[in-house]
Amino acid sequence: MALRLLYLIFLRLVGLLVLLGRSSASKDAELLVLRHEVAVLRSKNPRPRLDWADRAVIAALVRLLPTGLRLHRLVTPGTILRWHRRLVAQSGPNDS
């Protein structure tokens, strides 16, 4: 499972390097396409199932967004806190 998290982090870092070389117009176009795709996916499956590695990556990336944008995402600060509480409850007091 840790290997999956490392793989996802590596993919995001490579994606960041690719973004640095692109123009603002192409980034804006990609954002519009991705927002439309997310809207379509939400209409077909309003409650996607994420595993722990997906949650870790999303939680890390959502912190980079300005506060105003965080509140309108699929993953809100309340969602992150709920994930954390669930993870702590599953690990139990004796797990280290």
Side-chain angles (χ1 to χ4, degrees):
M1 289 198 290
L3 185 61
R4 176 168 164 69
L5 178 60
L6 289 174
Y7 176 72
L8 289 173
I9 291 171
F10 175 75
L11 284 180
R12 297 304 168 242
L13 289 174
V14 169
L16 178 63
L17 292 175
V18 170
L19 278 177
L20 291 175
R22 291 181 40 197
S23 70
S24 179
S26 71
K27 290 177 192 177
D28 291 342
E30 182 180 9
L31 279 174
L32 290 173
V33 170
L34 291 173
R35 286 179 181 170
H36 178 71
E37 288 177 350
V38 168
V40 169
L41 290 172
R42 281 185 181 168
S43 69
K44 295 181 188 235
N45 187 8
R47 300 207 30 121
R49 299 190 57 103
L50 304 172
D51 67 4
W52 71 272
D54 294 325
R55 291 176 182 164
V57 170
I58 291 173
L61 291 174
V62 80
R63 292 182 50 87
L64 300 175
L65 292 173
T67 305
L69 292 177
R70 284 186 208 171
L71 301 176
H72 302 290
R73 300 281 57 96
L74 179 67
V75 180
T76 64
T79 304
I80 294 171
L81 288 174
R82 190 170 51 251
W83 289 346
H84 179 71
R85 281 198 239 38
R86 189 179 308 149
L87 183 64
V88 169
Q90 288 175 355
S91 66
N94 294 329
D95 293 341
S96 295

